[in-house]
Amino acid sequence: MSRRWALFAAAIVVVASATWWLGQWQFDRLADRKERNEVVRANEGGAPTPVDEVLEPGGDVAEDHEWLIVTATGTYDTDDTVIVRYRTRDGRSGIDVVVPLVTSSGTALLVDRGWMPTANQGDAALDDVPAPPSGEVTVTGWVRADGTGSSTAVTDRSTRAINSKAIGEALGRDVYGGFVELQSEDPAPAPATSLEQVELPELDNGPHFFYGLQWWFFGVLAIFGFFYLMYDEWRGSRRGRGSGAVASREPKPVKQGRVRQSNHPYVLAQRARDAENDDSHQIDT
């Protein structure tokens, strides 16, 4: 119950509580991911829904509408094409190409038509972007929610993340909330001008389960280590007291055994000579 051990115990309680919270946080993320994957599986393979039934001008995309397939008919306005920079695939630099599809109501639907490679992350010119089909086009694609943060700023018709409100303000257009990643176009573009289609999300559970177990293992290890060190110090103190008691005792006297006399002739002769020498020494003295 020393101050040192009390502080040590308090530190272990903090560490164990933190590892428990972090482990539970990972399991909560796992549950959220499973729920999201179920929504994506249900949406990405469903029948197309008219865009007006899912999106609205200036609105936000509902969570259960993410990756829902919608369809819309209109005309592409290529003069308002927006480039999304810093999009890589398999280690290759590239861009996404977003073109507003102006519907009959006048509201534009932002369509991410796909990906194209570039020489480097920041090098892309609007003149190099393949043109979409001209005239009236019917598009089918997956609904995506708007990006957030400073990366959504639009400068010179380029951005790093798609946000319908930021792009609508930059282009001076009324646009639907969210955007659509293209699945197909009717009429289809020429093969030479087509872009690489969007990559669908991976629907696995990710590493959250093992991360959660790892955090909990660290907490159990910290508690076990605390009790082991406490036991080790207690055992060492007992050894110290035991060795001190032994050292304080006085050693017992060693008993001297009787010397056994030998009757061997050689030994008797040697004794006689030793006796004569002692007598002669006494006479001289």
Side-chain angles (χ1 to χ4, degrees), residues 62-183:
E63 290 185 5
D64 57 348
H65 288 166
E66 186 96 36
W67 293 100
L68 193 68
I69 299 178
V70 296
T71 183
T73 301
T75 304
Y76 280 121
D77 188 349
T78 55
D79 291 337
D80 283 341
T81 299
V82 176
I83 290 175
V84 185
R85 302 182 185 275
Y86 303 102
R87 298 296 177 96
T88 60
R89 290 191 183 183
D90 300 326
R92 296 182 299 166
S93 302
I95 60 170
D96 278 6
V97 180
V98 176
V99 186
L101 180 75
V102 183
T103 63
S104 58
S105 64
T107 304
L109 174 65
L110 299 180
V111 180
D112 184 350
R113 298 191 61 245
W115 179 87
M116 63 173 289
T118 58
N120 55 62
Q121 292 282 16
D123 184 16
L126 290 170
D127 295 339
D128 300 331
V129 174
S134 59
E136 188 174 79
V137 182
T138 298
V139 302
T140 303
W142 294 278
V143 172
R144 297 301 311 276
D146 287 325
T148 59
S150 59
S151 59
T152 60
V154 180
T155 305
D156 295 331
R157 287 196 291 164
S158 71
T159 183
R160 295 182 60 182
I162 303 173
N163 180 281
S164 59
K165 296 181 179 64
I167 293 177
E169 291 177 1
L171 300 180
R173 285 186 174 279
D174 292 331
V175 298
Y176 287 100
F179 63 99
V180 169
E181 291 190 329
L182 184 65
Q183 182 186 52

Side-chain angles (χ1 to χ4, degrees), residues 196-266:
E196 294 188 27
Q197 199 176 51
V198 62
E199 294 179 323
L200 296 178
E202 296 183 0
L203 299 180
D204 57 11
N205 292 332
H208 304 297
F209 178 77
F210 295 102
Y211 284 170
L213 288 182
Q214 188 178 54
W215 280 117
W216 283 0
F217 172 76
F218 288 156
V220 172
L221 187 64
I223 295 173
F224 172 80
F226 171 77
F227 283 106
Y228 175 79
L229 292 175
M230 185 169 60
Y231 166 74
D232 187 63
E233 183 161 318
W234 171 78
R235 184 178 58 179
S237 63
R238 289 198 62 185
R239 286 179 178 176
R241 289 195 298 269
S243 61
V246 172
S248 62
R249 297 175 185 171
E250 294 183 358
K252 294 181 179 180
V254 179
K255 292 183 179 181
Q256 299 292 334
R258 295 180 62 185
V259 179
R260 186 177 178 181
Q261 299 293 330
S262 177
N263 294 324
H264 193 276
Y266 175 80

